[in-house]
């Protein structure tokens, strides 16, 4: 499922994909499609423990270590939110945890999606990024000490 | 046949007149000419806050440019002028809601502060641990949380009047819950989430029959219908300036003079005292006793301008036009296949809450915004009500008298687009 390549390479692919659409409707459609193809998080993890705070929609996010790589699964009850998660996961899932910690998230601006988001969505997106970074930091830290 | 065609043409004339008036009043609201995301703004979030006419904006500006000074304090001319303007606004508000005296008009930050004032100054000293505060399932958080805080302070219980599936109050249940322990009844005149107009006259009459005072949360009523607190005979009535075309940060608590007079002050500070010494302080007379510190002078004066504006436009037009907006919107929206209305009371204001299929309200609201349409999504500060309907929230379109039939068409076609995108 998850494409191969570094964070920068995967981000580049997604930026190119979104560049194919020049109006918001097309971009939204593509975003929603990405959300629909998101592998769902197991119902068992749709609990408060995995809830990301600061989103108007509910977002659940789970991170695990797979060797040196971070495994991310997530879901939301809102489609556009799910699309945003899908972008993040497409780029960050199965990447080295320390690469995620240091990742440059400016690709989000290049996608041209940010300007189409309301402030509450942007806050929600920031909360998701923060949570992913936190998980990644924990994983790479625990690797160092072990 | 003839009779019918005459009737028809009168209807058309009336509708045309309404449309002409709408066209005129829209010109009074500078913000309405904006485009949002390249589309002309369709502002349907009036229940959250309404837009401001030029006359309100100008009155606030001219106050700062020409008359600003502190009130009730100075001997100098500017201060006297500011005081006169401030107190003139109080008189305007008094007349507007039919209060007996300006002593009964307390300026607050808004509905929220007014309700907190009643909870803390009126109710708190009167409640014991076995007292009950009777509210309803459809209250805004600002008519729930102040009572819960009070409950924490006194041990009194917050009792909730249930609602029927259509979003009307269960009056039989209300009658049963109204008991010997009930110390105060707090009810919204109009629900901000459902639009239901509650039968407050009945509620007041039944409560008074048991000597129980009634607080009306009138935040959603004043923008849509004339209110006469004297005729209603409610004990307290709270509303916000910003929902009735006035500035933010200003609102009103009406209270019966005898009740207000017997209440201790809510906050201490300047302006609310008669004399201060360390051996004891005496409080100012009504309504100043409840207005500690330098008040929101510009906001108050702007509120006065908003009242003037409403009275100029007239509730006759407002009610006729909004009734037409409501029936048109309901009938056009119900043509959408996947729409589900939340709240279907017969007596309602121009507020419509709905869900589109199983789409998240947040998604629907985001897509509408791309097409220049402003609606509110979420729980609308009525979480217990959303829990009751077992939904996370709704999409809410709320109309004001400056909205048009054409805007309803824009809403419907945008919703069709949203449905095709999201479903
Ligand atoms: C019914 C109702 N009550 C109270 C309030 C609170 O008003 P404010 O935020 O202006 O104090 C609102 C505003 O959303 C409302 O709709």
């Amino acid at each position: 499922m998850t494409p191969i390549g570094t964070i920068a390479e995967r981000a580049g692919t997604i930026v190119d994909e979104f560049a194919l659409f020049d109006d918001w409707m097309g971009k939204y459609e593509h975003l929603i499609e990405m959300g629909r193809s998101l592998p769902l998080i197991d119902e068992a993890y749709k609990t408060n423990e995995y809830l990301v705070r600061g989103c108007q929609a509910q977002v659940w996010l789970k991170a695990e270590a797979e060797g040196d790589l971070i495994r991310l699964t997530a879901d939301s009850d809102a489609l556009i939110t799910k699309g945003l998660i899908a972008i993040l996961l497409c780029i960050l899932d199965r990447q080295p945890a320390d690469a995620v910690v240091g990742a440059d998230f400016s690709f989000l601006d290049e996608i041209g999606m940010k300007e189409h988001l309301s402030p509450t969505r942007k806050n929600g997106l920031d909360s998701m990024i923060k949570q992913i970074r936190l998980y990644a930091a924990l994983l790479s830290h625990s690797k160092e000490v072990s | 046949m003839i009779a019918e065609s005459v009737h028809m043409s009168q209807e058309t004339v009336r509708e045309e007149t309404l449309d002409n008036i709408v066209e005129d009043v829209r010109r009074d609201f500078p913000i309405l000419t904006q485009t949002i995301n390249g589309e002309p703004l369709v502002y349907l979030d009036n229940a959250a806050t309404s837009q401001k006419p030029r006359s309100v904006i100008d009155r606030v500006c001219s106050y700062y440019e020409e008359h600003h000074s502190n009130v009730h304090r100075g001997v100098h001319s500017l201060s006297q002028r500011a005081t006169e303007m401030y107190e003139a606004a109080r008189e305007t508000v008094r007349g507007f809601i039919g209060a007996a005296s300006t002593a009964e008009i307390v300026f607050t930050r808004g509905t929220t502060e007014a309700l907190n004032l009643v909870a803390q100054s009126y109710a708190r000293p009167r409640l014991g641990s076995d007292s009950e505060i009777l509210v309803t399932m459809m209250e805004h958080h600002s008519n729930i949380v102040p009572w819960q805080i009070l409950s924490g302070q006194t041990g009194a219980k917050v009792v909730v009047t249930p609602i029927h599936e259509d979003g009307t109050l269960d009056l039989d249940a209300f009658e049963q819950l109204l008991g010997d322990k009930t110390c105060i009844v707090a009810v919204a005149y109009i629900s901000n989430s459902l639009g239901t107009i509650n039968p407050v006259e009945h509620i007041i009459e039944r409560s008074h029959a048991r000597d129980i005072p009634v607080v009306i949360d009138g935040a959603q009523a004043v923008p849509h219908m004339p209110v006469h607190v004297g005729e209603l005979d409610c004990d307290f009535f709270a509303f916000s300036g910003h929902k009735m075309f006035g500035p933010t940060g200003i609102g009103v608590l009406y209270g019966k003079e005898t009740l207000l007079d017997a209440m201790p002050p809510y906050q201490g500070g300047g302006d609310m005292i008669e004399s201060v010494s360390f051996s004891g302080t005496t409080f100012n007379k009504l309504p100043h006793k409840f207005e500690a510190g330098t008040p929101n002078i510009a906001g108050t004066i702007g509120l006065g301008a908003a009242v003037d504006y409403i009275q100029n436009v007239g509730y006759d037009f407002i009610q006729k036009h909004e009734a037409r907006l409501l029936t048109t919107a309901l009938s056009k929206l119900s043509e959408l296949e996947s729409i589900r209305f939340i709240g279907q009371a017969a007596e309602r204001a121009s507020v419509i809450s709905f869900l589109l299929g199983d789409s998240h309200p947040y998604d629907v609201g985001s897509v509408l915004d791309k097409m220049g349409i402003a609606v509110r999504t979420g729980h609308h500060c009525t979480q217990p009500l959303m829990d009751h309907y077992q939904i996370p929230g709704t999409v809410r379109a709320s109309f004001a008298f400056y909205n048009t039939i054409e805007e309803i068409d824009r809403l419907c076609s945008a919703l069709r687009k949203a449905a095709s995108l999201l479903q």
Side-chain angles (χ1 to χ4, degrees), chain A residues 98 137-146:
Chain A
D98 45 7
L138 285 173
L139 290 182
S140 68
H141 181 72
S142 63
K143 194 184 68 197
E144 272 165 33
V145 288
S146 59

Side-chain angles (χ1 to χ4, degrees), chain B residues 375-392:
Chain B
V375 293
R376 177 98 183 256
T377 66
H379 53 62
H380 319 299
C381 296
T382 54
Q383 270 179 9
L385 182 66
M386 297 298 127
D387 291 346
H388 170 79
Y389 282 107
Q390 296 182 318
I391 51 177

Side-chain angles (χ1 to χ4, degrees), chain A:
Chain A
M1 275 303 293
T2 316
I4 46 168
T6 63
I7 290 181
E9 284 162 357
R10 289 197 213 163
T13 312
I14 290 192
V15 169
D16 292 345
E17 273 174 32
F18 273 90
L20 296 175
F21 307 97
D22 45 26
D23 64 343
W24 70 268
M25 190 85 175
K27 285 190 205 288
Y28 261 60
E29 254 165 329
H30 186 58
L31 185 75
I32 289 166
E33 271 322 303
M34 286 187 72
R36 286 194 212 272
S37 61
L38 188 72
L40 297 182
I41 200 169
D42 198 292
E43 283 296 320
Y45 297 113
K46 288 189 180 176
T47 60
N48 268 343
E49 192 186 340
Y50 295 99
L51 204 60
V52 180
R53 310 272 154 203
C55 308
Q56 202 187 80
Q58 300 196 78
V59 175
W60 301 272
L61 180 70
K62 182 167 169 286
E64 295 160 292
E66 191 179 271
D68 287 348
L69 304 182
I70 187 170
R71 288 296 335 262
L72 295 163
T73 37
D75 199 359
S76 170
D77 55 352
L79 269 181
I80 295 172
T81 312
K82 232 165 126 160
L84 294 171
I85 303 173
I87 293 181
L88 291 179
L89 262 55
C90 246
I91 295 170
L92 302 172
D93 184 32
R94 285 209 169 92
Q95 296 285 5
D98 45 7
V100 172
V101 177
D104 172 11
F105 283 87
S106 63
F107 62 82
L108 287 170
D109 299 317
E110 284 173 57
I111 287 172
M113 213 42 229
K114 252 192 166 170
E115 65 194 72
H116 291 293
L117 298 177
S118 66
T120 48
R121 288 255 190 228
K122 273 183 216 146
N123 289 342
L125 189 59
D126 288 342
S127 305
M128 283 191 255
I129 292 172
K130 235 162 117 182
Q131 193 64 34
I132 291 176
R133 276 202 157 132
L134 191 70
Y135 279 139
L138 285 173
L139 290 182
S140 68
H141 181 72
S142 63
K143 194 184 68 197
E144 272 165 33
V145 288
S146 59

Side-chain angles (χ1 to χ4, degrees), chain B residues 9 16 18 31 38 69 74 102-103 115 123 127 129 187 207 230-231 244 249 292 381 391 403 407 417:
Chain B
S9 67
E16 270 172 16
L18 287 179
I31 209 168
S69 185
T102 49
L115 294 170
L127 296 193
S129 59
V187 183
S207 305
E231 282 167 16
M244 48 169 288
C381 296
I391 51 177
N403 289 122
E407 288 180 316
K417 260 194 193 166

Side-chain angles (χ1 to χ4, degrees), chain B residues 109-308:
Chain B
R109 274 194 302 123
T111 307
T112 304
E113 191 180 45
L115 294 170
N116 277 279
L117 196 164
V118 177
Q120 289 300 316
S121 279
Y122 176 77
R124 190 173 179 181
R126 288 170 175 76
L127 296 193
S129 59
D130 62 345
S131 306
E132 292 180 353
I133 303 148
L134 186 53
V135 300
T136 83
M137 182 60 87
M138 66 176 91
E139 296 312 310
H140 187 279
H141 293 165
S142 68
N143 203 20
I144 297 175
V145 184
W147 306 113
Q148 288 176 327
I149 291 173
L150 184 62
S151 160
Q153 291 161 337
T154 60
K157 208 166 121 199
V158 178
V159 178
V160 185
T161 307
I163 58 170
H164 298 297
E165 190 54 28
D166 67 354
T168 55
L169 277 183
D170 183 341
L171 289 175
D172 293 335
F174 172 78
E175 195 75 36
Q176 278 167 15
L177 292 171
L178 202 60
D180 295 337
K181 294 179 177 172
T182 314
C183 282
I184 195 158
V185 171
V187 183
Y189 203 144
I190 295 180
S191 155
N192 66 307
S193 293
L194 307 172
T196 312
I197 304 178
N198 287 317
V200 292
E201 297 86 348
H202 174 81
I203 288 168
I204 292 164
E205 188 217 301
R206 300 309 303 150
S207 305
H208 283 180
R210 289 173 164 268
D211 283 330
I212 302 164
V214 181
V215 191
I216 302 292
D217 169 356
Q220 297 293 342
V222 182
H224 301 293
M225 61 199 278
V227 167
H228 196 290
V229 291
E231 282 167 16
L232 279 178
D233 196 31
C234 54
D235 300 277
F236 297 99
F237 190 96
F239 60 102
S240 299
H242 70 96
K243 293 186 199 281
M244 48 169 288
F245 321 102
T248 53
I250 185 70
V252 175
L253 172 66
Y254 158 83
K256 282 183 179 163
E257 189 167 351
T258 45
L259 299 181
L260 288 176
D261 208 31
M263 284 156 56
Y266 176 53
Q267 292 178 329
D271 235 29
M272 52 78 70
I273 48 82
E274 192 172 73
S275 72
V276 176
S277 78
F278 284 108
S279 59
T281 290
T282 52
F283 302 126
N284 202 339
K285 57 186 191 319
L286 286 177
H288 310 290
K289 179 170 84 175
F290 292 108
E291 293 175 5
T294 300
N296 182 352
I297 308 169
T300 305
I301 289 167
L303 176 64
V307 170
D308 291 344

